[in-house]
C-alpha cells in the first residue's frame, strides 16, 4: 500500500466491514490478530492487504466478488501471522532465557548466591513458558537436540537444583524438582538427582515419614538404584544413625561386585563400615573396590598398548576433567560431588 490514497480507501473498506460485521470473518480475524498482540493499525493493515488482493483478483479475472475465496484468504493470512508470531516469541524467549542463565553463572563465579538464584529462577519461569509451546512431552536431551545443542539445558537444570539446596530454598527446590519431573519424558534420560532432591527436602523440612515413603516407593520399583540408596542412607544417618544407614545399603555391596554403576555406593558403604568398626564387611568392600580399580587400570593399559601401535600425533593441551554434579566427589567421601565439595 505504497499509494497513501489507495491505502486510505482500503482501510475505509476494512472499517466498514468491522462496523457492519459483514462479512463476519473480518471481525473474527481482526479480534484474533489483536489477541496475538498485533496493534489495531497492524491488524487493519493486514486485513487491508487481503482486501486489496481480492479487488485485484476480481479486476484481473473479471469475475464477481467471491466471499468464500476472501474468507479462505483471511484465514490463511491469520494462520501465517500466528505461526510467525509464535516462532518469533519462542526465539525471543530463548534469548532472554540464555541471557539470564549466563548472568546467573557470572554471579556464581563471583560468589553472589542471591543474584545467581534470582537470575536462574527468572530464567526458570521463562523456560516453563517455552515448554508449554511444545507439541508433545519431550526428554531433556530431545529439547537440546531441537535447539541444535546451542543451550546447556541439562547442566543448568542440575545446577539450579543443586544451588537451591545449597542456599536452603527448600520450597523452591521442591517445587522446581516436581515440575521438572512432570515436564519431561524420562524414558531414556536420568532424572534421579531431581527425585533424590525431593526426598532430601522432605527430610530437610521435617516431613520424615513422607521422606521415608518417597524413597520406599522408589526402591520398590528400582531396588538397586544407586542414587536413591546413597541419598536415602544420608537422610537416615542424620536422623536415625549410621547403623541404620548401613543396613540399608549393606545388601547391595557385601558379597556383590563393584562396577562403574555402583562404585559410589561402595565408597559410601566403606565410610560407614569403617565408622561402625565392621572389620569383616570392610575387608569385603575394600576387596571389591580394589578389584574394580585394578580392572579400570588394566583397561587404561590396553588403551596405552593400542596407542603404541597407532600413528604418532601432536599431543593436545590437556585440561582438568570437568566434574559434574552427580560424579563421585574426588575427595573420596563417597558422596556425589554436588553433596560434598561441590557445595563449597
Amino acid at each position: 500500500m505504497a499509494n497513501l490514497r489507495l491505502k486510505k480507501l482500503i482501510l475505509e473498506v476494512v472499517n466498514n466491514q468491522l462496523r457492519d460485521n459483514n462479512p463476519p470473518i473480518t471481525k473474527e480475524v481482526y479480534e484474533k490478530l489483536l489477541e496475538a498482540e498485533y496493534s489495531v493499525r497492524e491488524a487493519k493493515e493486514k486485513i487491508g492487504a487481503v482486501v486489496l488482493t481480492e479487488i485485484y483478483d476480481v479486476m484481473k479475472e473479471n469475475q464477481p466478488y467471491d466471499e468464500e475465496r476472501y474468507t479462505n484468504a483471511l484465514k490463511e493470512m491469520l494462520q501465517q501471522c500466528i505461526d510467525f508470531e509464535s516462532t518469533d516469541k519462542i526465539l525471543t524467549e530463548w534469548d532472554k532465557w540464555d541471557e539470564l542463565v549466563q548472568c546467573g553463572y557470572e554471579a556464581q563465579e563471583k560468589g553472589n548466591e542471591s543474584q545467581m538464584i534470582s537470575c536462574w529462577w527468572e530464567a526458570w519461569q521463562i523456560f516453563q513458558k517455552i515448554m508449554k509451546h511444545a507439541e508433545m512431552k519431550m526428554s531433556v536431551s530431545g529439547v537440546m537436540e531441537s535447539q541444535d545443542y546451542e543451550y546447556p539445558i541439562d547442566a543448568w537444570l542440575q545446577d539450579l537444583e543443586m544451588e537451591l539446596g545449597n542456599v536452603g530454598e527448600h520450597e523452591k527446590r521442591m517445587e522446581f524438582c516436581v515440575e521438572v519431573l512432570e515436564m519431561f519424558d524420562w524414558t531414556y534420560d536420568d532424572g534421579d538427582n531431581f527425585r533424590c532432591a525431593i526426598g532430601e527436602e522432605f527430610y530437610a523440612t521435617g516431613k520424615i515419614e513422607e521422606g521415608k515413603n518417597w524413597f520406599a516407593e522408589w526402591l520398590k520399583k528400582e531396588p538397586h538404584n544407586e542414587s536413591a540408596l546413597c541419598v536415602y542412607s544420608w537422610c537416615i544417618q542424620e536422623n536415625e544413625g549410621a547403623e541404620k544407614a548401613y543396613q540399608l545399603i549393606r545388601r547391595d555391596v557385601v558379597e556383590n561386585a563393584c562396577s562403574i554403576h555402583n562404585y559410589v555406593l561402595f565408597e559410601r558403604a566403606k565410610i560407614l563400615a569403617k565408622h561402625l568398626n565392621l572389620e569383616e564387611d570392610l575387608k569385603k568392600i575394600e576387596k571389591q573396590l580394589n578389584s574394580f580399580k585394578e580392572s579400570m587400570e588394566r583397561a587404561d593399559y590396553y588403551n596405552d598398548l593400542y596407542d603404541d601401535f597407532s600413528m604418532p600425533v601432536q599431543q593436545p593441551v590437556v585440561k582438568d576433567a570437568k566434574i559434574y554434579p552427580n560424579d563421585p566427589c574426588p575427595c573420596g567421601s563417597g558422596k556425589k560431588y554436588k553433596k560434598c565439595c561441590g557445595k563449597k
Side-chain angles (χ1 to χ4, degrees):
M1 292 185 202
N3 188 309
L4 295 179
R5 189 173 180 181
L6 176 61
K7 180 176 180 178
K8 183 179 178 180
L9 290 171
I10 294 298
L11 288 178
E12 284 181 3
V13 173
V14 174
N15 286 329
N16 291 337
Q17 290 183 0
L18 292 173
R19 183 194 63 205
D20 300 336
N21 195 25
N22 183 25
I25 186 63
T26 303
K27 193 169 185 178
E28 290 177 20
V29 169
Y30 174 73
E31 289 175 349
K32 287 181 180 178
L33 286 170
L34 295 181
E35 289 175 5
E37 299 183 355
Y38 285 91
S39 68
V40 170
R41 179 182 59 80
E42 290 172 334
K44 289 182 178 180
E45 286 182 352
K46 289 183 178 298
I47 294 172
V50 178
V51 171
L52 183 60
T53 302
E54 177 63 19
I55 293 173
Y56 176 78
D57 288 341
V58 169
M59 294 175 64
K60 180 182 177 182
E61 302 296 333
N62 196 24
Q63 292 180 352
Y65 163 71
D66 187 340
E67 185 172 335
E68 182 178 356
R69 181 176 61 196
Y70 178 63
T71 298
N72 291 336
L74 281 175
K75 288 181 177 179
E76 183 178 356
M77 176 273 292
L78 174 65
Q79 190 60 53
Q80 289 175 350
C81 290
I82 291 175
D83 289 344
F84 173 80
E85 192 68 19
S86 297
T87 304
D88 184 63
K89 187 175 181 182
I90 291 172
L91 290 172
T92 302
E93 286 177 340
W94 273 117
D95 292 337
K96 290 178 181 177
W97 171 85
D98 187 45
E99 183 177 349
L100 286 165
V101 169
Q102 296 311 317
C103 286
Y105 278 115
E106 290 173 8
Q108 183 187 52
E109 289 180 5
K110 296 175 182 177
N112 191 336
E113 292 180 338
S114 61
Q115 184 181 353
M116 172 191 67
I117 294 298
S118 176
C119 289
W120 283 356
W121 195 250
E122 187 177 349
W124 169 238
Q125 308 307 312
I126 293 173
F127 188 79
Q128 288 177 292
K129 291 179 182 178
I130 293 173
M131 294 309 298
K132 284 180 181 178
H133 288 90
E135 295 180 358
M136 65 185 73
K137 183 177 283 191
M138 303 171 68
S139 63
V140 177
S141 55
V143 176
M144 292 177 67
E145 183 180 1
S146 71
Q147 298 300 314
D148 294 326
Y149 299 97
E150 183 177 355
Y151 306 110
I153 298 168
D154 55 349
W156 169 71
L157 289 171
Q158 290 191 32
D159 288 344
L160 178 52
E161 175 270 307
M162 179 178 68
E163 295 295 354
L164 286 171
N166 288 343
V167 300
E169 289 278 9
H170 301 301
E171 290 185 8
K172 280 187 175 181
R173 190 185 187 207
M174 175 73 83
E175 174 192 333
F176 170 74
C177 290
V178 169
E179 290 180 0
V180 166
L181 290 173
E182 291 177 352
M183 181 181 290
F184 296 103
D185 175 6
W186 296 100
T187 305
Y188 300 106
D189 288 351
D190 182 5
D192 286 352
N193 55 314
F194 302 107
R195 296 186 183 95
C196 285
I198 291 173
E200 281 184 318
E201 288 308 317
F202 279 128
Y203 274 89
T205 53
K207 300 175 182 177
I208 309 301
E209 288 304 314
E210 290 180 63
K212 287 181 178 179
N213 291 336
W214 175 263
F215 283 112
E217 289 299 316
W218 185 359
L219 290 169
K220 276 183 184 178
K221 300 174 183 176
E222 301 177 68
H224 306 291
N225 187 290
E226 177 193 32
S227 298
L229 289 168
C230 276
V231 175
Y232 191 20
S233 73
W234 277 105
C235 294
I236 290 175
Q237 183 176 355
E238 292 176 0
N239 287 270
E240 301 177 59
E243 188 172 349
K244 286 264 188 178
Y246 181 68
Q247 288 305 315
L248 173 71
I249 62 177
R250 184 182 185 278
R251 61 185 174 84
D252 277 82
V253 292
V254 176
E255 309 296 344
N256 287 327
C258 179
S259 69
I260 193 69
H261 302 293
N262 60 9
Y263 169 73
V264 173
L265 193 61
F266 267 82
E267 289 288 358
R268 172 82 179 118
K270 177 182 174 181
I271 293 171
L272 287 170
K274 189 179 290 186
H275 175 73
L276 295 168
N277 297 315
L278 302 174
E279 296 295 333
E280 187 174 343
D281 280 8
L282 183 60
K283 288 180 182 178
K284 293 178 180 178
I285 292 167
E286 288 181 333
K287 181 180 179 182
Q288 286 298 326
L289 278 168
N290 291 334
S291 176
F292 167 69
K293 290 174 182 176
E294 288 172 5
S295 69
M296 294 299 289
E297 289 172 1
R298 284 197 300 273
D300 288 340
Y301 171 72
Y302 285 121
N303 287 337
D304 291 340
L305 274 179
Y306 175 80
D307 289 341
D308 288 340
F309 288 95
S310 301
M311 291 294 291
V313 294
Q314 182 178 355
Q315 292 299 315
V317 176
V318 179
K319 297 182 179 180
D320 293 337
K322 178 175 174 61
I323 303 172
Y324 291 91
N326 285 324
D327 288 347
C329 191
C331 74
S333 66
K335 295 184 182 181
K336 291 187 177 183
Y337 177 67
K338 70 177 182 178
K339 304 299 180 186
C340 191
C341 296
K343 289 187 175 183
K344 302 175 185 177

